[in-house]
Amino acid sequence: YLVKVYSSFILDIERNPICAMLIRLDQQYLSYIVAAKSTGTILVLQALTALFDWRRRLALTVVTGVTIFQFGLLVYLNTATH
């Protein structure tokens, strides 16, 4: 959702070179970046679900680490000078 909201200037602020390349491939609809982000999210959720079924305690540790990282990334992206 936010990729589409900020589509007019997302290429100017994107720092990941792979994401920037995907944005450049379809700047109007951003279909490649949205597809890549959606696929990545689905794969991670499937992996975490499998890990949770296999080793619940380890999965909780991994989920905690991912959550802390994502929160830090959110803070960085919202406070960094662009």
Side-chain angles (χ1 to χ4, degrees):
Y1 171 76
L2 292 177
V3 170
K4 191 65 177 169
V5 170
Y6 298 117
S7 64
S8 61
F9 60 91
I10 193 164
L11 192 54
D12 298 330
I13 61 173
E14 181 58 60
R15 295 176 183 217
N16 182 327
I18 295 172
C19 290
M21 177 196 67
L22 292 173
I23 293 167
R24 276 191 217 96
L25 290 173
D26 184 12
Q27 292 183 26
Q28 184 175 2
Y29 298 107
L30 303 169
S31 58
Y32 295 114
I33 189 70
V34 171
K37 286 181 174 282
S38 299
T39 302
T41 299
I42 290 167
L43 290 174
V44 168
L45 289 174
Q46 287 178 333
L48 289 174
T49 300
L51 184 60
F52 192 79
D53 290 341
W54 182 53
R55 293 219 173 148
R56 181 170 287 188
R57 189 174 182 136
L58 177 60
L60 291 174
T61 303
V62 171
V63 168
T64 300
V66 169
T67 302
I68 291 169
F69 175 80
Q70 289 293 324
F71 182 74
L73 182 61
L74 176 68
V75 170
Y76 168 75
L77 292 174
N78 284 294
T79 59
T81 306
H82 298 292

